[in-house]
Amino acid sequence: MSGLPDIAFPAAGATTDAVSAALAGMARGDADWRGGRVPLFVFGATEDVAQVGRSAFNAYFTENALGGRRAFGSLFRMEQEVLAMCRDLFHGPSTATGTMTSGGTESIVLAVKNCRDWQRARRGDAAHRGNLVLPSTAHPAFEKAASLMDLPIRRVPVAADLRADPVAMAAATDADTILIAGSVPCFPYGVVDPLPALSRLAVERGVWLHVDACVGGFFAPFARELGVTIPPFDFALPGVASLSADLHKFGFCPKPASVVLYRSADLAPGFDFDVWPSGRFATATLVGTRPGGAVAAAWAVLTFLGRPGYRAIAHRLLAMREAYVEGISAIAPLRLHCLPDLSILAFGSEDVNIPALASAMAARGWVPGQVQHPPGLHLMLSLLHEPARERYLHDLTAAVAEVAA
Ligand SMILES: Cc1ncc(COP(=O)(O)O)c(C=O)c1O
């Protein structure tokens, strides 16, 4: 048994009404993300942002961004403009270049691949199998990259403040280290790693520093403009070789959309094969066909919001986060694992059985995000969660009481 449902390929077609009704029926069983009950996977800003993204996506529903250069010049132009806007946002030099990708994972896999190839060329060793030194909180996308390329990974425990420990990472780095990384912020605890110190380490050792700003790339710059203390984390730091930032997370663009940027084009040769009867095949991405809609929608949302729009959203997100922090802190004996830098919260208590608390929240209709070390509940808050706050805190209070009893 494969575990797949016992369903045959449709022997007859269905009407459009029947298909729509079936879809709506299936969705009825899903978690209520529109009501703010899903603390990961989906992100929302305002309805007009969603509408701008949706209509641009639909306008380019059929076009394929793989054909940007040869057939769909408008998509090629929009992709270049999105990348140029991001280069500006992340203080890239004029030499900086990049690619739009399908998401954080593809952006990270590409950065590791380009790093490996650049390091091999630099070392004159086409078979060099360099290691990656990562904080324990780095996203498993790095493991995917390393497993695809058979590269060893050294995960280094984070410091007491749950941020990457540059001294411990320096100790784990050796002559075969090709890449170190830090997150803005890390997913498990929501704190930003000390990128200035990691940049100094990268420069000293001649290793590639990748900044994983997949979560915070379109939030942290605006939070900083609003006065939140986040140290520099982007190409303003000389050691940063590449940076990933997901448009489909806090960029509030339709999925699938992320960017990976490089300090200069020589760091990102991409793929270029001349091996088959159809001639040369050169792409910067791992995937071939790419939805034109995602490119057009990203261009539309960035253009629609601009800096003031993102700043206004960041302002609302930070105010909402504060209200969640206050509300959660008022529920004894819950405590935050650390103060969040953006809008990821992790909290728990040694006196509360966290898996039981998660089940009690699930029974109340919430999808409970969890973190394991130490055990806690996990929230990645977007504006979808603004109207849900009081209900969430009410149910959390009841769930803690139930579990304690
Ligand atoms: C810090 C971080 N990096 C990378 C990723 C991977 O992004 P994606 O799911 O878009 O591949 C995530 C996903 O949550 C993340 O939190």
Side-chain angles (χ1 to χ4, degrees), residues 43 102-106 108 137 139 141-142 183-187 212-215 244 246 248-249 258 344 380:
F43 301 81
S102 59
T105 301
E106 189 187 0
I108 288 169
T137 47
H139 192 273
F142 288 97
S183 309
V184 182
C186 70
F187 180 79
D212 177 3
C214 285
V215 168
S244 51
D246 289 357
H248 64 201
K249 292 193 173 81
S258 169
I344 287 180
M380 182 157 56

Side-chain angles (χ1 to χ4, degrees), residues 83 99-105 107 214 244-248 256-260:
L83 292 165
T99 312
M100 279 189 73
T101 72
S102 59
T105 301
S107 289
C214 285
S244 51
D246 289 357
L247 292 152
H248 64 201
S258 169
V259 293
V260 56

Side-chain angles (χ1 to χ4, degrees), residues 170-263:
T173 302
D174 64 17
D176 282 324
T177 301
I178 56 171
L179 178 143
I180 62 174
S183 309
V184 182
C186 70
F187 180 79
Y189 306 124
V191 289
V192 175
D193 287 328
L195 269 309
L198 295 181
S199 168
R200 285 193 292 277
L201 176 60
V203 171
E204 262 168 47
R205 304 288 173 93
V207 298
W208 180 299
L209 171 57
H210 179 78
V211 177
D212 177 3
C214 285
V215 168
F218 297 95
F219 187 172
F222 306 105
R224 291 183 85 209
E225 287 178 18
L226 293 167
V228 174
T229 309
I230 296 174
F233 64 86
D234 58 19
F235 292 103
L237 300 171
V240 174
S242 58
L243 179 149
S244 51
D246 289 357
L247 292 152
H248 64 201
K249 292 193 173 81
F250 288 91
F252 304 109
C253 300
K255 301 173 190 67
S258 169
V259 293
V260 56
L261 299 172
Y262 305 87
R263 182 170 288 280

Side-chain angles (χ1 to χ4, degrees), residues 123-138:
R123 290 163 190 254
D125 177 358
H128 184 249
R129 202 170 151 260
N131 65 70
L132 318 183
V133 173
L134 309 174
S136 57
T137 47

